[in-house]
Amino acid sequence: MPWILQEEDLLYEQQIAKDPYTELLWLEYAESTSDKHHRAGILDRATATLPASTLLWNAYFEAVFSNKTKLKAAYEKAIKVLNTSPSIWTKYLQLLLDQRCPLVKKKFEEALFNVPESYHGDIWRIYIEYAGASWSGESDTAVSLIYTQAIYAKDLGIPNMPDAYKMVDVALKSQNSDIIRRIWSNIWLKKVGPESSKALAEYVLQSDHTLELEPQLFDFLVDDYILRLPSQKSPTLLLKARYYEDREIPLARHYYNQALSVATSVKDAVTAFNAYLDFEDSILETLDGSELANRLDILDRFLEKRPFFINDVKLRANPNSVDVWLERSSIFGSDNAGRIKTLVDAIMNINPLQATGLRNLVEIWDEYARIYLDLGDVHTAVLIYSKAANTQFKEVKDLASVHISWTEALLQMSDDAALEHIEDILYNHIPSNHKEIKVQHAKVPIKTRLFKCTELWKFYIDLLKALLDESKPEFVWNKLQGAYQKMVDLEVITLGLIFDYAAFLKERVSRDRAMMLYEQALEDFQAPHAQFDLWLVYLTELLESSLNTERIREHFDQCFLTPLPGHLVRKIFDMYLAFESKTELSLKIIKILERAISYLHSSIETPVTKYEKLELNKIVDDKYDYLVSLLTRVAKLKDHELMRSAFQKAAEDPHFSMPQIIDIGLRFIDFEIAQREIVRSRSLFKHFAQLGNPESHLFAEVWSKWERFEVDHGNQETFKEMLRFKRQLIREHAEVDQNKSEVNPMGFVKGETKGGEIKQKADENPDAIDLDMDM
């Protein structure tokens, strides 16, 4: 229906004729009529007159809003003149989307071309919604292209970006090489969704659509993934092998083998092994005749290699593992050629300073040489050990082990050859500054420190002892003595070897030489435990000798000037006491007991070593036993003042446990009662009774004896005084317990403390009330 001028329009027409370029005049004109069709006609003329007026265009869109065809036409007219307007474009594109207009990709591209980039976000939102719509009619390639463009525009703040997996799926469905490559590169640039690059890349490789790609593109994706994540090489190569199963069988086999050969974990190796077997099994049915037989033979050999595949994985993970190399050698079983190659490879590949495992590098060399020894080829075994001795090792004991094995191999040739070798190592390579060299000095080369290796000297001693039954025993004895003395001179001899050497001297030379060795060792070995072991053996030897009594006493006295471990020293004091008991000198024994008590006291106060709880308890118990022995000895002297002094000193000792103190106290009281010292005895009862709660079972005997004492030696008043004292102690301990219970774990006292007398227990003696309850 055409627009027709109406009578009421004349006034506005006259005004517009005079001033056609005023927006407000046109708006007033349009609003003067309630007829939408008439209004639309006015606004159509207005926008033609003022095409740059957004205000008039919006009024026009509103006027034709109910008629989508006219609205669409209005938008198309508007964007011809206002092609940079973001609001008009977004409204127009949203209208197209609402009307499900297919194949309007060109309009979106036109909008993005004309609208300033800062406003592209809202356009992309509509564009992406359109691309993902099933009715859009766009091909997978077109949709995927839209998505890839959106990825590049992502920084513009596009709301509601498409799901990353959806974008990947669409790209793969398109089978468009360029688009897939673009999506793939953007995955690694982390522009495709919030998901991790690894997860998205794996999704691409494992998609069924990927298996439909051209080989060149598929290989590109897989190879690029392996380059980016080398740790995933084995499982990724399996994907490649499966891809070629239906395309090129030899190539599939190649990739299965590659997946197995590069596996870095046992799990990956097992997975690749089983996948390869499944593949070969699946194609056996297609084979026949000789081809089938040949393939079965290949599979049998492949199955036999399974342990090697697992071992290969372990070696790739840690080529310096001695345990894994030895495990590989054992896989070969009786195949000496395979074992030898493996051991040579191990020697070539293991870095001696980085070798790991429960077994050490020496065992590689030992197994290598043992193969030839088992074959009777001693010369080759000796050559292997000579090579080993010239290589690098972590510690001195490793090189020493090589020389020990080397010497044992030479024993199969001759005793003289073995002795010549070991003596050359021990005697002929000692540097002039040997006293300054310590076996643990890492800065000094291992070969230079080898002469300090005690294990090597022990082996030499054992070798000489094993040769004692040969035709030249005296010759061997002389070598033994020389070896022992050399160890002493070089300061490499151990305490065990000292005892061994002393036994040798005692048997072959003289007791005096053995005693001199002990005396020298007492100067050289200053550690408390070593001093104890030496003194114990030395004094034992002295007691068995014909040395006079005074000289033996001097040595015992010298021993006790040495700081020995307190929990062990009783053995030596008991030896001294046993020795003096033969002389029947009571005062001398008393002096020894006093010295033992004092020595043990000092061991606790100034310990020479760190004691465990059980060791400390033993020192206290030993000290208490000696005290009891001392009191028994002093009692026989009938010296009351000495006895009393001993008891007083014992009662004040800070180390004894409460049961021990009570026992001392009761013995002290018995002594004073025997001397008829009633007042002193009562004071002692009071002193020892107040050390603890009268209701404790520890003090039951104290109170029981005190009661008997008052019955026998006291009167009613002293008995009442005892009971009053007992009740007072009970009250004091009860108050202490109550105060403790009223203090919470944080140490704060409760707000209210209730006092009062402690109620008498029901089982308390009722006769005590008659005696005295008024305190």
PDB file of all heavy atoms in Angstrom, residues 201-207 210-211 218-219 222 225 232-245 247 255-256 259 275:
ATOM      1  N   ALA A 201      45.614 -32.087  21.672  1.00  0.00           N
ATOM      2  CA  ALA A 201      46.408 -32.745  20.628  1.00  0.00           C
ATOM      3  C   ALA A 201      46.149 -34.249  20.617  1.00  0.00           C
ATOM      4  O   ALA A 201      46.016 -34.864  19.553  1.00  0.00           O
ATOM      5  CB  ALA A 201      47.895 -32.468  20.855  1.00  0.00           C
ATOM      6  N   GLU A 202      46.064 -34.848  21.804  1.00  0.00           N
ATOM      7  CA  GLU A 202      45.770 -36.286  21.883  1.00  0.00           C
ATOM      8  C   GLU A 202      44.369 -36.579  21.338  1.00  0.00           C
ATOM      9  O   GLU A 202      44.145 -37.619  20.708  1.00  0.00           O
ATOM     10  CB  GLU A 202      45.907 -36.760  23.330  1.00  0.00           C
ATOM     11  CG  GLU A 202      47.352 -36.825  23.800  1.00  0.00           C
ATOM     12  CD  GLU A 202      47.473 -37.264  25.247  1.00  0.00           C
ATOM     13  OE1 GLU A 202      46.428 -37.330  25.941  1.00  0.00           O
ATOM     14  OE2 GLU A 202      48.607 -37.524  25.693  1.00  0.00           O
ATOM     15  N   TYR A 203      43.442 -35.670  21.582  1.00  0.00           N
ATOM     16  CA  TYR A 203      42.087 -35.837  21.056  1.00  0.00           C
ATOM     17  C   TYR A 203      42.105 -35.853  19.524  1.00  0.00           C
ATOM     18  O   TYR A 203      41.408 -36.647  18.886  1.00  0.00           O
ATOM     19  CB  TYR A 203      41.196 -34.707  21.572  1.00  0.00           C
ATOM     20  CG  TYR A 203      39.757 -34.792  21.121  1.00  0.00           C
ATOM     21  CD1 TYR A 203      38.873 -35.672  21.747  1.00  0.00           C
ATOM     22  CD2 TYR A 203      39.287 -34.004  20.075  1.00  0.00           C
ATOM     23  CE1 TYR A 203      37.547 -35.759  21.325  1.00  0.00           C
ATOM     24  CE2 TYR A 203      37.969 -34.082  19.652  1.00  0.00           C
ATOM     25  CZ  TYR A 203      37.094 -34.968  20.290  1.00  0.00           C
ATOM     26  OH  TYR A 203      35.797 -35.056  19.881  1.00  0.00           O
ATOM     27  N   VAL A 204      42.933 -34.965  18.953  1.00  0.00           N
ATOM     28  CA  VAL A 204      43.060 -34.924  17.490  1.00  0.00           C
ATOM     29  C   VAL A 204      43.606 -36.247  16.962  1.00  0.00           C
ATOM     30  O   VAL A 204      43.060 -36.848  16.040  1.00  0.00           O
ATOM     31  CB  VAL A 204      43.981 -33.760  17.065  1.00  0.00           C
ATOM     32  CG1 VAL A 204      44.330 -33.866  15.582  1.00  0.00           C
ATOM     33  CG2 VAL A 204      43.305 -32.426  17.342  1.00  0.00           C
ATOM     34  N   LEU A 205      44.721 -36.717  17.603  1.00  0.00           N
ATOM     35  CA  LEU A 205      45.391 -37.916  17.088  1.00  0.00           C
ATOM     36  C   LEU A 205      44.539 -39.170  17.250  1.00  0.00           C
ATOM     37  O   LEU A 205      44.660 -40.111  16.466  1.00  0.00           O
ATOM     38  CB  LEU A 205      46.736 -38.095  17.805  1.00  0.00           C
ATOM     39  CG  LEU A 205      47.780 -36.994  17.554  1.00  0.00           C
ATOM     40  CD1 LEU A 205      49.042 -37.273  18.339  1.00  0.00           C
ATOM     41  CD2 LEU A 205      48.092 -36.864  16.073  1.00  0.00           C
ATOM     42  N   GLN A 206      43.702 -39.201  18.269  1.00  0.00           N
ATOM     43  CA  GLN A 206      42.912 -40.407  18.544  1.00  0.00           C
ATOM     44  C   GLN A 206      41.520 -40.364  17.903  1.00  0.00           C
ATOM     45  O   GLN A 206      40.737 -41.306  18.058  1.00  0.00           O
ATOM     46  CB  GLN A 206      42.784 -40.596  20.055  1.00  0.00           C
ATOM     47  CG  GLN A 206      44.125 -40.908  20.725  1.00  0.00           C
ATOM     48  CD  GLN A 206      44.069 -40.849  22.229  1.00  0.00           C
ATOM     49  OE1 GLN A 206      42.992 -40.740  22.815  1.00  0.00           O
ATOM     50  NE2 GLN A 206      45.219 -40.904  22.873  1.00  0.00           N
ATOM     51  N   SER A 207      41.213 -39.285  17.198  1.00  0.00           N
ATOM     52  CA  SER A 207      39.897 -39.166  16.546  1.00  0.00           C
ATOM     53  C   SER A 207      39.800 -40.115  15.351  1.00  0.00           C
ATOM     54  O   SER A 207      40.766 -40.336  14.608  1.00  0.00           O
ATOM     55  CB  SER A 207      39.682 -37.727  16.083  1.00  0.00           C
ATOM     56  OG  SER A 207      38.526 -37.627  15.293  1.00  0.00           O
ATOM     57  N   THR A 210      40.785 -38.564  12.114  1.00  0.00           N
ATOM     58  CA  THR A 210      42.216 -38.443  11.823  1.00  0.00           C
ATOM     59  C   THR A 210      42.697 -39.618  10.979  1.00  0.00           C
ATOM     60  O   THR A 210      43.577 -39.466  10.126  1.00  0.00           O
ATOM     61  CB  THR A 210      43.013 -38.359  13.144  1.00  0.00           C
ATOM     62  OG1 THR A 210      42.511 -37.278  13.924  1.00  0.00           O
ATOM     63  CG2 THR A 210      44.497 -38.136  12.885  1.00  0.00           C
ATOM     64  N   LEU A 211      42.126 -40.797  11.263  1.00  0.00           N
ATOM     65  CA  LEU A 211      42.521 -41.992  10.496  1.00  0.00           C
ATOM     66  C   LEU A 211      42.133 -41.878   9.018  1.00  0.00           C
ATOM     67  O   LEU A 211      42.619 -42.644   8.183  1.00  0.00           O
ATOM     68  CB  LEU A 211      41.891 -43.237  11.106  1.00  0.00           C
ATOM     69  CG  LEU A 211      42.343 -43.586  12.551  1.00  0.00           C
ATOM     70  CD1 LEU A 211      41.581 -44.795  13.056  1.00  0.00           C
ATOM     71  CD2 LEU A 211      43.834 -43.835  12.590  1.00  0.00           C
ATOM     72  N   PHE A 218      48.680 -36.783   8.130  1.00  0.00           N
ATOM     73  CA  PHE A 218      48.709 -37.609   9.344  1.00  0.00           C
ATOM     74  C   PHE A 218      50.135 -37.681   9.888  1.00  0.00           C
ATOM     75  O   PHE A 218      50.366 -37.520  11.103  1.00  0.00           O
ATOM     76  CB  PHE A 218      48.170 -39.010   9.039  1.00  0.00           C
ATOM     77  CG  PHE A 218      48.183 -39.925  10.224  1.00  0.00           C
ATOM     78  CD1 PHE A 218      47.146 -39.929  11.141  1.00  0.00           C
ATOM     79  CD2 PHE A 218      49.260 -40.779  10.444  1.00  0.00           C
ATOM     80  CE1 PHE A 218      47.170 -40.757  12.242  1.00  0.00           C
ATOM     81  CE2 PHE A 218      49.286 -41.618  11.542  1.00  0.00           C
ATOM     82  CZ  PHE A 218      48.233 -41.609  12.442  1.00  0.00           C
ATOM     83  N   ASP A 219      51.093 -37.949   9.008  1.00  0.00           N
ATOM     84  CA  ASP A 219      52.489 -38.035   9.451  1.00  0.00           C
ATOM     85  C   ASP A 219      52.958 -36.716  10.048  1.00  0.00           C
ATOM     86  O   ASP A 219      53.707 -36.701  11.040  1.00  0.00           O
ATOM     87  CB  ASP A 219      53.394 -38.419   8.287  1.00  0.00           C
ATOM     88  CG  ASP A 219      53.222 -39.881   7.889  1.00  0.00           C
ATOM     89  OD1 ASP A 219      52.655 -40.641   8.694  1.00  0.00           O
ATOM     90  OD2 ASP A 219      53.658 -40.257   6.782  1.00  0.00           O
ATOM     91  N   VAL A 222      51.505 -36.443  13.676  1.00  0.00           N
ATOM     92  CA  VAL A 222      52.155 -37.375  14.611  1.00  0.00           C
ATOM     93  C   VAL A 222      53.590 -36.958  14.873  1.00  0.00           C
ATOM     94  O   VAL A 222      54.038 -36.913  16.030  1.00  0.00           O
ATOM     95  CB  VAL A 222      52.089 -38.813  14.065  1.00  0.00           C
ATOM     96  CG1 VAL A 222      52.940 -39.745  14.922  1.00  0.00           C
ATOM     97  CG2 VAL A 222      50.653 -39.304  14.032  1.00  0.00           C
ATOM     98  N   TYR A 225      53.827 -33.891  17.030  1.00  0.00           N
ATOM     99  CA  TYR A 225      53.497 -34.202  18.432  1.00  0.00           C
ATOM    100  C   TYR A 225      54.694 -34.845  19.130  1.00  0.00           C
ATOM    101  O   TYR A 225      55.008 -34.519  20.292  1.00  0.00           O
ATOM    102  CB  TYR A 225      52.287 -35.133  18.472  1.00  0.00           C
ATOM    103  CG  TYR A 225      51.822 -35.470  19.872  1.00  0.00           C
ATOM    104  CD1 TYR A 225      51.075 -34.564  20.611  1.00  0.00           C
ATOM    105  CD2 TYR A 225      52.134 -36.687  20.454  1.00  0.00           C
ATOM    106  CE1 TYR A 225      50.655 -34.855  21.900  1.00  0.00           C
ATOM    107  CE2 TYR A 225      51.710 -36.998  21.743  1.00  0.00           C
ATOM    108  CZ  TYR A 225      50.973 -36.085  22.455  1.00  0.00           C
ATOM    109  OH  TYR A 225      50.561 -36.383  23.728  1.00  0.00           O
ATOM    110  N   GLN A 232      56.204 -39.021  24.952  1.00  0.00           N
ATOM    111  CA  GLN A 232      55.044 -39.758  24.449  1.00  0.00           C
ATOM    112  C   GLN A 232      55.334 -40.445  23.113  1.00  0.00           C
ATOM    113  O   GLN A 232      54.411 -40.830  22.396  1.00  0.00           O
ATOM    114  CB  GLN A 232      53.862 -38.786  24.275  1.00  0.00           C
ATOM    115  CG  GLN A 232      53.434 -38.088  25.551  1.00  0.00           C
ATOM    116  CD  GLN A 232      52.953 -39.078  26.596  1.00  0.00           C
ATOM    117  OE1 GLN A 232      52.126 -39.935  26.323  1.00  0.00           O
ATOM    118  NE2 GLN A 232      53.493 -38.958  27.804  1.00  0.00           N
ATOM    119  N   LYS A 233      56.616 -40.606  22.830  1.00  0.00           N
ATOM    120  CA  LYS A 233      56.985 -41.116  21.506  1.00  0.00           C
ATOM    121  C   LYS A 233      56.458 -42.521  21.258  1.00  0.00           C
ATOM    122  O   LYS A 233      55.895 -42.805  20.193  1.00  0.00           O
ATOM    123  CB  LYS A 233      58.500 -41.091  21.356  1.00  0.00           C
ATOM    124  CG  LYS A 233      58.974 -41.399  19.947  1.00  0.00           C
ATOM    125  CD  LYS A 233      60.471 -41.170  19.804  1.00  0.00           C
ATOM    126  CE  LYS A 233      60.926 -41.373  18.367  1.00  0.00           C
ATOM    127  NZ  LYS A 233      62.369 -41.131  18.192  1.00  0.00           N
ATOM    128  N   SER A 234      56.606 -43.403  22.226  1.00  0.00           N
ATOM    129  CA  SER A 234      56.201 -44.801  22.017  1.00  0.00           C
ATOM    130  C   SER A 234      54.702 -44.946  21.772  1.00  0.00           C
ATOM    131  O   SER A 234      54.291 -45.517  20.751  1.00  0.00           O
ATOM    132  CB  SER A 234      56.637 -45.655  23.203  1.00  0.00           C
ATOM    133  OG  SER A 234      56.232 -46.992  23.035  1.00  0.00           O
ATOM    134  N   PRO A 235      53.827 -44.442  22.673  1.00  0.00           N
ATOM    135  CA  PRO A 235      52.390 -44.581  22.405  1.00  0.00           C
ATOM    136  C   PRO A 235      51.934 -43.843  21.137  1.00  0.00           C
ATOM    137  O   PRO A 235      50.988 -44.269  20.469  1.00  0.00           O
ATOM    138  CB  PRO A 235      51.719 -43.993  23.655  1.00  0.00           C
ATOM    139  CG  PRO A 235      52.767 -43.245  24.377  1.00  0.00           C
ATOM    140  CD  PRO A 235      54.066 -43.854  24.005  1.00  0.00           C
ATOM    141  N   THR A 236      52.621 -42.753  20.763  1.00  0.00           N
ATOM    142  CA  THR A 236      52.243 -42.023  19.550  1.00  0.00           C
ATOM    143  C   THR A 236      52.624 -42.807  18.297  1.00  0.00           C
ATOM    144  O   THR A 236      51.883 -42.818  17.303  1.00  0.00           O
ATOM    145  CB  THR A 236      52.924 -40.641  19.537  1.00  0.00           C
ATOM    146  OG1 THR A 236      52.656 -39.976  20.775  1.00  0.00           O
ATOM    147  CG2 THR A 236      52.384 -39.784  18.411  1.00  0.00           C
ATOM    148  N   LEU A 237      53.763 -43.477  18.350  1.00  0.00           N
ATOM    149  CA  LEU A 237      54.162 -44.319  17.216  1.00  0.00           C
ATOM    150  C   LEU A 237      53.199 -45.490  17.033  1.00  0.00           C
ATOM    151  O   LEU A 237      53.013 -45.993  15.919  1.00  0.00           O
ATOM    152  CB  LEU A 237      55.587 -44.821  17.404  1.00  0.00           C
ATOM    153  CG  LEU A 237      56.686 -43.773  17.153  1.00  0.00           C
ATOM    154  CD1 LEU A 237      58.037 -44.302  17.575  1.00  0.00           C
ATOM    155  CD2 LEU A 237      56.713 -43.373  15.669  1.00  0.00           C
ATOM    156  N   LEU A 238      52.581 -45.936  18.119  1.00  0.00           N
ATOM    157  CA  LEU A 238      51.566 -46.989  18.007  1.00  0.00           C
ATOM    158  C   LEU A 238      50.380 -46.498  17.178  1.00  0.00           C
ATOM    159  O   LEU A 238      49.790 -47.250  16.395  1.00  0.00           O
ATOM    160  CB  LEU A 238      51.094 -47.436  19.394  1.00  0.00           C
ATOM    161  CG  LEU A 238      52.034 -48.331  20.203  1.00  0.00           C
ATOM    162  CD1 LEU A 238      51.393 -48.699  21.540  1.00  0.00           C
ATOM    163  CD2 LEU A 238      52.379 -49.583  19.423  1.00  0.00           C
ATOM    164  N   LEU A 239      50.012 -45.222  17.360  1.00  0.00           N
ATOM    165  CA  LEU A 239      48.934 -44.646  16.545  1.00  0.00           C
ATOM    166  C   LEU A 239      49.319 -44.669  15.069  1.00  0.00           C
ATOM    167  O   LEU A 239      48.501 -44.957  14.186  1.00  0.00           O
ATOM    168  CB  LEU A 239      48.652 -43.208  16.996  1.00  0.00           C
ATOM    169  CG  LEU A 239      48.082 -43.006  18.405  1.00  0.00           C
ATOM    170  CD1 LEU A 239      47.994 -41.519  18.721  1.00  0.00           C
ATOM    171  CD2 LEU A 239      46.709 -43.642  18.522  1.00  0.00           C
ATOM    172  N   LYS A 240      50.577 -44.349  14.829  1.00  0.00           N
ATOM    173  CA  LYS A 240      51.066 -44.337  13.453  1.00  0.00           C
ATOM    174  C   LYS A 240      51.034 -45.754  12.865  1.00  0.00           C
ATOM    175  O   LYS A 240      50.670 -45.954  11.696  1.00  0.00           O
ATOM    176  CB  LYS A 240      52.486 -43.792  13.432  1.00  0.00           C
ATOM    177  CG  LYS A 240      52.847 -43.071  12.157  1.00  0.00           C
ATOM    178  CD  LYS A 240      54.158 -42.310  12.325  1.00  0.00           C
ATOM    179  CE  LYS A 240      54.434 -41.482  11.082  1.00  0.00           C
ATOM    180  NZ  LYS A 240      55.703 -40.739  11.184  1.00  0.00           N
ATOM    181  N   ALA A 241      51.415 -46.741  13.684  1.00  0.00           N
ATOM    182  CA  ALA A 241      51.403 -48.131  13.211  1.00  0.00           C
ATOM    183  C   ALA A 241      49.977 -48.568  12.872  1.00  0.00           C
ATOM    184  O   ALA A 241      49.737 -49.213  11.837  1.00  0.00           O
ATOM    185  CB  ALA A 241      52.003 -49.038  14.284  1.00  0.00           C
ATOM    186  N   ARG A 242      49.020 -48.227  13.722  1.00  0.00           N
ATOM    187  CA  ARG A 242      47.619 -48.613  13.462  1.00  0.00           C
ATOM    188  C   ARG A 242      47.093 -47.930  12.187  1.00  0.00           C
ATOM    189  O   ARG A 242      46.288 -48.503  11.452  1.00  0.00           O
ATOM    190  CB  ARG A 242      46.750 -48.237  14.657  1.00  0.00           C
ATOM    191  CG  ARG A 242      47.065 -49.053  15.913  1.00  0.00           C
ATOM    192  CD  ARG A 242      46.014 -48.864  16.987  1.00  0.00           C
ATOM    193  NE  ARG A 242      46.411 -49.527  18.219  1.00  0.00           N
ATOM    194  CZ  ARG A 242      46.894 -48.890  19.290  1.00  0.00           C
ATOM    195  NH1 ARG A 242      47.028 -47.576  19.270  1.00  0.00           N
ATOM    196  NH2 ARG A 242      47.243 -49.570  20.365  1.00  0.00           N
ATOM    197  N   TYR A 243      47.545 -46.677  11.964  1.00  0.00           N
ATOM    198  CA  TYR A 243      47.113 -45.952  10.759  1.00  0.00           C
ATOM    199  C   TYR A 243      47.518 -46.712   9.493  1.00  0.00           C
ATOM    200  O   TYR A 243      46.764 -46.783   8.514  1.00  0.00           O
ATOM    201  CB  TYR A 243      47.731 -44.549  10.783  1.00  0.00           C
ATOM    202  CG  TYR A 243      47.442 -43.720   9.554  1.00  0.00           C
ATOM    203  CD1 TYR A 243      46.255 -43.017   9.430  1.00  0.00           C
ATOM    204  CD2 TYR A 243      48.370 -43.649   8.522  1.00  0.00           C
ATOM    205  CE1 TYR A 243      45.988 -42.259   8.302  1.00  0.00           C
ATOM    206  CE2 TYR A 243      48.110 -42.887   7.384  1.00  0.00           C
ATOM    207  CZ  TYR A 243      46.917 -42.190   7.275  1.00  0.00           C
ATOM    208  OH  TYR A 243      46.649 -41.444   6.152  1.00  0.00           O
ATOM    209  N   TYR A 244      48.729 -47.285   9.521  1.00  0.00           N
ATOM    210  CA  TYR A 244      49.242 -47.945   8.316  1.00  0.00           C
ATOM    211  C   TYR A 244      48.890 -49.437   8.236  1.00  0.00           C
ATOM    212  O   TYR A 244      49.276 -50.091   7.263  1.00  0.00           O
ATOM    213  CB  TYR A 244      50.762 -47.777   8.239  1.00  0.00           C
ATOM    214  CG  TYR A 244      51.174 -46.402   7.776  1.00  0.00           C
ATOM    215  CD1 TYR A 244      51.625 -45.440   8.678  1.00  0.00           C
ATOM    216  CD2 TYR A 244      51.082 -46.049   6.441  1.00  0.00           C
ATOM    217  CE1 TYR A 244      51.990 -44.178   8.257  1.00  0.00           C
ATOM    218  CE2 TYR A 244      51.438 -44.786   6.000  1.00  0.00           C
ATOM    219  CZ  TYR A 244      51.896 -43.852   6.914  1.00  0.00           C
ATOM    220  OH  TYR A 244      52.244 -42.601   6.489  1.00  0.00           O
ATOM    221  N   GLU A 245      48.177 -49.954   9.232  1.00  0.00           N
ATOM    222  CA  GLU A 245      47.809 -51.375   9.195  1.00  0.00           C
ATOM    223  C   GLU A 245      47.031 -51.723   7.927  1.00  0.00           C
ATOM    224  O   GLU A 245      47.255 -52.777   7.308  1.00  0.00           O
ATOM    225  CB  GLU A 245      46.980 -51.738  10.432  1.00  0.00           C
ATOM    226  CG  GLU A 245      47.808 -51.959  11.677  1.00  0.00           C
ATOM    227  CD  GLU A 245      46.948 -52.345  12.874  1.00  0.00           C
ATOM    228  OE1 GLU A 245      45.702 -52.419  12.711  1.00  0.00           O
ATOM    229  OE2 GLU A 245      47.502 -52.588  13.965  1.00  0.00           O
ATOM    230  N   ARG A 247      46.961 -49.816   5.210  1.00  0.00           N
ATOM    231  CA  ARG A 247      47.507 -49.101   4.065  1.00  0.00           C
ATOM    232  C   ARG A 247      48.815 -49.725   3.553  1.00  0.00           C
ATOM    233  O   ARG A 247      48.988 -49.924   2.357  1.00  0.00           O
ATOM    234  CB  ARG A 247      47.751 -47.634   4.438  1.00  0.00           C
ATOM    235  CG  ARG A 247      46.465 -46.831   4.648  1.00  0.00           C
ATOM    236  CD  ARG A 247      46.792 -45.423   5.161  1.00  0.00           C
ATOM    237  NE  ARG A 247      45.606 -44.566   5.199  1.00  0.00           N
ATOM    238  CZ  ARG A 247      44.720 -44.570   6.176  1.00  0.00           C
ATOM    239  NH1 ARG A 247      44.864 -45.415   7.198  1.00  0.00           N
ATOM    240  NH2 ARG A 247      43.670 -43.760   6.132  1.00  0.00           N
ATOM    241  N   TYR A 255      56.760 -49.220  12.358  1.00  0.00           N
ATOM    242  CA  TYR A 255      56.382 -48.321  13.448  1.00  0.00           C
ATOM    243  C   TYR A 255      56.098 -49.082  14.749  1.00  0.00           C
ATOM    244  O   TYR A 255      56.356 -48.563  15.840  1.00  0.00           O
ATOM    245  CB  TYR A 255      55.179 -47.459  13.041  1.00  0.00           C
ATOM    246  CG  TYR A 255      55.551 -46.401  12.026  1.00  0.00           C
ATOM    247  CD1 TYR A 255      54.872 -46.303  10.812  1.00  0.00           C
ATOM    248  CD2 TYR A 255      56.584 -45.515  12.276  1.00  0.00           C
ATOM    249  CE1 TYR A 255      55.215 -45.341   9.869  1.00  0.00           C
ATOM    250  CE2 TYR A 255      56.935 -44.546  11.344  1.00  0.00           C
ATOM    251  CZ  TYR A 255      56.258 -44.469  10.145  1.00  0.00           C
ATOM    252  OH  TYR A 255      56.612 -43.513   9.222  1.00  0.00           O
ATOM    253  N   TYR A 256      55.585 -50.305  14.664  1.00  0.00           N
ATOM    254  CA  TYR A 256      55.421 -51.117  15.877  1.00  0.00           C
ATOM    255  C   TYR A 256      56.784 -51.391  16.518  1.00  0.00           C
ATOM    256  O   TYR A 256      56.949 -51.302  17.739  1.00  0.00           O
ATOM    257  CB  TYR A 256      54.724 -52.442  15.550  1.00  0.00           C
ATOM    258  CG  TYR A 256      53.214 -52.349  15.569  1.00  0.00           C
ATOM    259  CD1 TYR A 256      52.449 -52.656  14.443  1.00  0.00           C
ATOM    260  CD2 TYR A 256      52.542 -51.956  16.728  1.00  0.00           C
ATOM    261  CE1 TYR A 256      51.064 -52.571  14.460  1.00  0.00           C
ATOM    262  CE2 TYR A 256      51.153 -51.873  16.759  1.00  0.00           C
ATOM    263  CZ  TYR A 256      50.416 -52.181  15.623  1.00  0.00           C
ATOM    264  OH  TYR A 256      49.058 -52.094  15.659  1.00  0.00           O
ATOM    265  N   ALA A 259      58.038 -48.195  18.116  1.00  0.00           N
ATOM    266  CA  ALA A 259      57.341 -47.920  19.377  1.00  0.00           C
ATOM    267  C   ALA A 259      57.933 -48.754  20.504  1.00  0.00           C
ATOM    268  O   ALA A 259      58.085 -48.289  21.641  1.00  0.00           O
ATOM    269  CB  ALA A 259      55.846 -48.214  19.225  1.00  0.00           C
ATOM    270  N   ALA A 275      50.456 -54.920  21.420  1.00  0.00           N
ATOM    271  CA  ALA A 275      49.813 -54.378  20.214  1.00  0.00           C
ATOM    272  C   ALA A 275      50.426 -54.993  18.957  1.00  0.00           C
ATOM    273  O   ALA A 275      49.709 -55.324  18.002  1.00  0.00           O
ATOM    274  CB  ALA A 275      49.966 -52.858  20.191  1.00  0.00           C
TER     275      ALA A 275
END
